[in-house]
């Protein structure tokens, strides 16, 4: 497998000066404004059964900058504004291709604060990154090695809800090479009591990150609820405390999933999973919180793009495959298998652990369909040959 052209994002935290923070905050606001203006224009045209493309919105941006009301758009770099229009074009392309819902307007309070710069709007020399409209380079904490001699093609600056600043640089990583092929394969059954159960019999405990910080989160949320509504400083500080608790939970969850997926990809040539519809499963009010904390969708996404990176294969078995009710020894299918049943004995005399048996069946089904090509929900491919999930998460951390 060729990986020379695989692009990978390296994300670092940085600490802006007051002037840089003010400039970036203005840029975030202008990016959001341009995106919303263009979306409104395209939506209005859509009601008239007309389509507006990127070139037309780009011409609109030029006209907006000449008006007195929107003259402040000239104060920031034009590149992030053009990138916002390109992102909107991609959103509409996905909508017309029935891959996504109709684009939504960006909220000042809830939307992600970010701006994307292309090569014409930043300078990267001797390990120092300087953005357009800035005199000084960003104070980046190089927490991981950056590919030597690599030049970023795009730079994305963002600020999360907890107030932390990040810069993500997209580069071609020459160190990404397929791992040596091996003969091992594993079936993976995800769950709530145990995060993962492998066909080898190994069970990976569920860290339950959200539950561990639930008391801290509830306290922060109570303090926020007591603050007066509006944009007051006290309410803003309380909202940031809540965001910091959520960030702590998300950081630990992501770190754990990265370690698990990297280990599975390194130790196995083929990994078989279930094609679960997590979006529908979280509609269950009793289990939604636990399912969201387990982050099964993130686990699958990480597995898939790392498998592409390292020359491995991920097979998704159809979600209706009766992995829990099927005896992995004799193939007998039971009529019912309530969730309360964690261990059962087949008519052939074999006693099964419910999750281990399911993982074994998932592995057998995946290996069978990899040969005959039936029963697996195929991954959507992009024109470049990459899966849609891989393309979407191409910029994720390894």
């Amino acid at each position: 497998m060729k990986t020379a052209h695989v692009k990978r994002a390296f994300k670092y935290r940085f600490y802006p000066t007051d002037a840089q923070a003010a400039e970036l905050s203005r840029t975030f606001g202008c990016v959001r404004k341009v995106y919303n203006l263009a979306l409104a224009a395209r939506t209005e045209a859509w009601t008239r059964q007309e389509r507006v493309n990127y070139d037309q919105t780009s011409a609109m941006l030029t006209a907006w900058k000449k008006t007195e009301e929107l003259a402040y758009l000239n104060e920031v770099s034009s590149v992030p504004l053009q990138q916002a229009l390109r992102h909107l074009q991609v959103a509409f392309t996905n909508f017309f291709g029935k891959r996504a819902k109709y684009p939504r307007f960006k909220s000042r309070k809830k939307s992600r604060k970010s701006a994307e710069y292309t090569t014409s709007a930043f300078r990267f020399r001797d390990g120092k990154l300087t953005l357009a409209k800035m005199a000084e380079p960003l104070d980046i904490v190089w927490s991981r090695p950056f590919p030597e001699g690599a030049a970023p093609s795009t730079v994305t600056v963002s600020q999360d809800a907890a107030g932390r600043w990040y810069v993500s640089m997209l580069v071609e990583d020459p160190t990404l090479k397929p791992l040596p092929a091996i003969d091992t394969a594993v079936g993976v059954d995800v769950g709530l009591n145990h995060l993962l159960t492998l066909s080898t019999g190994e069970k990976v405990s569920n860290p339950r990150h959200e539950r561990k910080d639930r008391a801290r989160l509830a306290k922060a949320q109570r303090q926020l609820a007591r603050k007066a509504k509006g944009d007051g400083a006290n309410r803003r500080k309380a909202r940031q405390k809540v965001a910091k608790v959520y960030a702590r939970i998300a950081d630990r969850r992501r770190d754990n999933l990265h370690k698990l997926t990297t280990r599975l990809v390194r130790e196995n040539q083929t990994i078989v999973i279930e094609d679960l519809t997590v979006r529908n499963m979280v509609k269950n009010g009793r289990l939604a919180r636990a399912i969201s904390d387990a982050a099964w969708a993130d686990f699958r996404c990480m597995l898939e793009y790392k498998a592409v990176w390292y020359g491995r294969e991920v097979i998704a078995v159809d979600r209706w495959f009766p992995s829990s009710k099927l005896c992995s020894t004799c193939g007998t299918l039971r009529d019912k298998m309530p969730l309360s049943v964690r261990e059962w004995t087949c008519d052939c005399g074999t006693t099964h652990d419910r999750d281990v048996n399911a993982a074994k069946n998932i592995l057998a089904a995946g290996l069978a369909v990899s040969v005959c090509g039936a029963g697996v929900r195929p991954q959507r491919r992009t024109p470049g040959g990459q899966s849609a999930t891989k393309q979407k998460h191409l910029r994720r951390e390894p």
Side-chain angles (χ1 to χ4, degrees):
M1 178 179 291
K2 296 181 180 180
T3 57
H5 299 292
V6 172
K7 289 191 175 182
R8 179 179 182 181
F10 287 81
K11 188 175 181 180
Y12 303 94
R13 191 170 178 180
F14 74 97
Y15 296 87
T17 63
D18 292 341
Q20 290 173 339
E23 175 64 28
L24 290 172
S25 295
R26 282 195 299 270
T27 302
F28 295 159
C30 292
V31 165
R32 182 180 62 251
K33 182 67 174 179
V34 168
Y35 186 95
N36 288 341
L37 286 172
L39 176 55
R42 296 183 70 147
T43 301
E44 183 180 353
W46 175 252
T47 60
R48 301 192 304 267
Q49 301 298 314
E50 299 176 2
R51 286 195 181 185
V52 175
N53 57 27
Y54 163 75
D55 292 333
Q56 291 170 294
T57 56
S58 181
M60 292 178 187
L61 175 59
T62 303
W64 293 334
K65 288 182 176 182
K66 295 179 181 179
T67 64
E68 183 178 353
E69 181 184 1
L70 299 175
Y72 62 87
L73 295 177
N74 293 290
E75 298 176 3
V76 302
S77 172
S78 62
V79 172
L81 306 184
Q82 293 288 348
Q83 291 299 100
L85 298 179
R86 290 188 175 94
H87 294 163
L88 180 61
Q89 178 65 35
V90 171
F92 270 100
T93 300
N94 290 333
F95 166 69
F96 291 125
K98 298 183 179 180
R99 295 185 295 273
K101 294 182 179 180
Y102 194 83
R104 295 184 296 180
F105 291 95
K106 293 184 179 294
S107 167
R108 183 173 64 87
K109 293 183 179 180
K110 297 181 180 180
S111 297
R112 179 173 179 260
K113 300 177 181 178
S114 67
E116 185 176 271
Y117 296 78
T118 57
T119 52
S120 61
F122 68 84
R123 182 175 68 253
F124 185 72
R125 295 176 183 172
D126 302 325
K128 294 183 179 181
L129 177 67
T130 306
L131 301 178
K133 301 286 186 178
M134 293 185 185
E136 300 178 359
L138 300 181
D139 182 13
I140 300 175
V141 179
W142 300 98
S143 54
R144 57 189 303 190
F146 191 76
E148 187 176 353
S153 57
T154 61
V155 168
T156 303
V157 180
S158 61
Q159 185 185 28
D160 66 10
R164 301 177 300 182
W165 295 85
Y166 292 96
V167 58
S168 179
M169 293 179 280
L170 188 65
V171 300
E172 288 188 4
D173 188 0
T175 64
L176 274 181
K177 298 179 181 179
L179 296 172
I182 53 180
D183 296 329
T184 55
V186 67
V188 181
D189 179 56
V190 297
L192 297 178
N193 292 330
H194 293 88
L195 183 60
L196 304 178
T197 300
L198 307 184
S199 56
T200 58
E202 179 185 353
K203 293 188 175 183
V204 179
S205 61
N206 187 353
R208 303 181 188 273
H209 298 292
E210 189 271 340
R211 177 179 291 184
K212 291 180 179 179
D213 274 351
R214 191 168 293 177
R216 182 182 301 183
L217 178 60
K219 180 180 179 181
Q221 289 174 328
R222 285 195 300 269
Q223 292 175 344
L224 174 61
R226 295 191 188 105
K227 306 303 179 185
K229 304 292 184 181
D231 293 328
N234 288 338
R235 185 172 179 83
R236 187 164 55 251
K237 291 178 182 178
R239 187 186 298 116
Q240 193 170 77
K241 285 184 179 180
V242 174
K244 286 182 178 180
V245 178
Y246 275 120
R248 168 186 164 90
I249 295 170
D251 287 347
R252 291 186 300 164
R253 181 189 296 131
R254 190 181 307 110
D255 179 69
N256 182 61
L257 290 178
H258 273 305
K259 291 176 180 177
L260 285 176
T261 52
T262 298
R263 176 198 151 195
L264 289 173
V265 168
R266 289 186 180 278
E267 294 179 354
N268 300 278
Q269 182 68 34
T270 303
I271 304 166
V272 187
I273 59 176
E274 285 185 288
D275 184 23
L276 299 177
T277 52
V278 179
R279 181 178 299 177
N280 292 335
M281 296 174 72
V282 294
K283 294 178 182 179
N284 184 329
R286 296 177 57 191
L287 300 177
R289 198 168 191 173
I291 292 174
S292 298
D293 192 26
W296 295 336
D298 290 342
F299 168 76
R300 174 175 176 173
C301 289
M302 290 182 185
L303 265 185
E304 290 182 337
Y305 76 72
K306 290 180 183 181
V308 173
W309 282 358
Y310 299 114
R312 301 309 199 202
E313 182 182 19
V314 174
I315 300 174
V317 176
D318 192 275
R319 67 191 62 144
W320 302 115
F321 176 66
S323 58
S324 298
K325 298 187 292 184
L326 188 67
C327 175
S328 58
T329 302
C330 68
T332 300
L333 180 63
R334 301 195 64 171
D335 294 333
K336 296 182 180 179
M337 184 66 64
L339 285 174
S340 58
V341 177
R342 309 313 303 174
E343 190 174 284
W344 58 283
T345 301
C346 180
D347 295 338
C348 67
T350 305
T351 299
H352 294 292
D353 177 287
R354 178 193 181 99
D355 298 332
V356 175
N357 177 67
K360 290 180 179 179
N361 286 325
I362 290 171
L363 173 61
L367 294 180
V369 298
S370 66
V371 176
C372 65
V376 168
R377 193 172 299 274
Q379 302 300 307
R380 187 171 68 252
R381 311 300 292 187
T382 65
Q386 297 170 338
S387 70
T389 304
K390 169 67 180 75
Q391 188 181 59
K392 178 180 178 182
H393 295 272
L394 189 62
R395 303 184 181 186
R396 294 293 181 90
E397 294 298 292

